[in-house]
Amino acid sequence: MSRLLRGSLPLLSVLLLALPLAAQESLPDLVTAEMPDLLSTYTRLHSHPELSYQEKQTAAYLAGELRRLGFEVTENVGDYGVPGRTSYGLVAVLRNGEGPTVMVRTDLDALPVVEQTGLAYASQVRVESGGNQVGVMHACGHDVHMTSFLGTARLLAQLRDRWAGTLVLIGQPAEERGAGSRAMLADGLYERFPRPDFALALHTSANLPAGTIGYRAGYALANVDSVDITIRGLGGHGAYPHTTKDPIVIAARLILALQTIVSREINPLEPAVITVGSIHAGTKHNIIPDEAHLQLTVRSYTPEVRRQLLSSIERMAREAAEVAGVPPERAPIVEVNEEEYTPSTYNDPELVRRAVAAIGKVLGEENVIETDPVMGGEDFSRYALDGEIPIFMFWVGGVDPERYREANEKGLTLPSLHSPLFAPVPEPTLRTAVQAMTAAVLELMGK
Ligand SMILES: [Zn+2]
Ligand SMILES: [Zn+2]
């Protein structure tokens, strides 16, 4: 047989036959072969969501799959700094000779949302939380991220002769709490495991059609700060306001004053948001309470604007109480929750350029769309270590193209991320995600 081959086939055919099968096939064909399995992985993950800090089964499943592919897997990576809180972070390493180290991240956690999509594989999961039953749903598409992450792992394991270097795949818990990346870094992600030269991630988009990728070089997602303000007045009878210092009136003035920070103090060319998302005070019609509590979300891109916003909030809270005649010892307490701070995501422009060109070659340039930056936040940003490591997070369209077109024509609003109706269409979304991430990694590590 071998003599026959040598004798009858041209040299090129013999060389091609000597290569592993995978190396001869195109990326789209390889993804097609994986799709049936990935679709069942997706529905399985979708119907078994776990809340932040509870991603035990999800992480164990990913760890098992990655071990089978030959990755060195370490589980329970992460330190929240909270006694008794286990981290379900996982790190999977595949060493494949000399070359760059590339990290790909997926998140693992779902949200306390009762799914209302009506899909056959909709989550029925309910858990106890603070004495209440809450639904659990992958309403942020983290199941898309995990499934395409496994798809990318399978492809890169098959295509080992097309790349060289060290591939580090990480499953990060508690993204929705902005806590997981901090915990994994605190537990030595970059010391115990190979430190990446590049880090990549993707996120499902609720406003791009499936089959497309969205990207933004530079600032793409915002700094997120949570601020708590306690306004301390002097309570009393509602009929005798002159004997009190009413914290509700102070809060009302402050809320409106805060809106002038963005409109009057910040350079209009710099994005910034201050939203008062919660206000609580009082118990009854005719009682002026002692205190009012406000909870704010504060968004920005640059560290300078962030500092300016936070210091203006502090100043305005102090002034609002002063104007009302509250004595200095009862000045408002303004707390910036550093634990819940998420830095802005700055996509390294050179890395974006390389990855986007490679993705465009596989998907067609018309399917790779430059998108606007947004004021949402994502703790993937932390892996950049303030600009030391180039990172890139891109968007994967998740909307059924037909629904997308219809919504555009009729001016309808599509369900957003975190909506109980959010239902990415699995087939083109996953296929596109796997192709895009694999193409980006091959661009960075390809021979
Ligand atoms: Zn989310
Ligand atoms: Zn998310």
Side-chain angles (χ1 to χ4, degrees), residues 53-117:
Y53 303 134
Q54 299 172 19
E55 310 89 342
K56 190 175 179 179
Q57 306 299 335
T58 305
Y61 172 69
L62 290 189
E65 293 292 304
L66 292 165
R67 275 199 190 101
R68 235 195 310 284
L69 292 170
F71 284 79
E72 236 172 83
V73 181
T74 309
E75 291 175 82
N76 294 116
V77 179
D79 179 359
Y80 291 115
V82 176
R85 181 170 290 162
T86 306
S87 168
Y88 296 106
L90 67 105
V91 179
V93 179
L94 188 61
R95 294 172 208 272
N96 190 26
E98 283 296 305
T101 296
V102 175
M103 186 174 97
V104 178
R105 172 269 213 171
T106 183
D107 31 22
L108 307 173
D109 52 333
L111 287 158
V113 171
V114 177
E115 178 156 0
Q116 290 167 31
T117 58

Side-chain angles (χ1 to χ4, degrees), residues 229 251 254-256 258-259 274-279 293-297:
I229 303 177
L254 175 60
I255 290 167
L256 292 177
L258 290 174
Q259 300 314 308
I274 296 177
T275 292
V276 180
S278 158
I279 166 166
H293 298 274
L294 307 182
Q295 293 183 311
L296 285 62
T297 188

Side-chain angles (χ1 to χ4, degrees), residues 1-73:
M1 182 65 185
S2 67
R3 188 184 299 164
L4 181 69
L5 264 181
R6 269 203 303 274
S8 62
L9 290 174
L11 181 62
L12 183 64
S13 307
V14 176
L15 283 175
L16 276 175
L17 284 169
L19 288 170
L21 193 62
Q24 299 171 37
E25 290 184 44
S26 73
L27 202 52
D29 289 345
L30 290 167
V31 179
T32 300
E34 295 294 338
M35 278 316 290
D37 217 55
L38 290 177
L39 288 168
S40 71
T41 297
Y42 174 71
T43 50
R44 176 202 165 116
L45 287 168
H46 187 84
S47 50
H48 295 87
E50 292 176 299
L51 291 176
S52 308
Y53 303 134
Q54 299 172 19
E55 310 89 342
K56 190 175 179 179
Q57 306 299 335
T58 305
Y61 172 69
L62 290 189
E65 293 292 304
L66 292 165
R67 275 199 190 101
R68 235 195 310 284
L69 292 170
F71 284 79
E72 236 172 83
V73 181

Side-chain angles (χ1 to χ4, degrees), residues 116-189:
Q116 290 167 31
T117 58
L119 291 166
Y121 52 88
S123 163
Q124 309 292 336
V125 176
R126 302 285 183 276
V127 296
E128 283 290 308
S129 172
N132 294 320
Q133 277 247 315
V134 296
V136 186
M137 176 186 174
H138 271 300
C140 200
H142 297 186
D143 47 356
V144 171
H145 311 167
M146 288 186 274
T147 309
S148 59
F149 172 88
L150 283 178
T152 300
R154 288 186 194 166
L155 257 64
L156 290 169
Q158 288 172 51
L159 295 171
R160 247 176 272 204
D161 52 341
R162 281 204 214 167
W163 58 275
T166 303
L167 182 62
V168 181
L169 302 185
I170 68 165
Q172 182 208 300
E175 188 283 325
E176 295 292 354
R177 302 296 187 103
S181 61
R182 183 205 302 262
M184 290 187 77
L185 288 163
D187 197 24
L189 177 64

Side-chain angles (χ1 to χ4, degrees), residues 208 212-216 367-371 392-397:
L208 283 176
T212 66
I213 293 292
Y215 70 93
R216 182 76 193 186
N367 293 316
V368 186
I369 301 159
E370 184 170 22
T371 52
F392 179 27
M393 168 174 266
F394 55 87
W395 299 101
V396 175

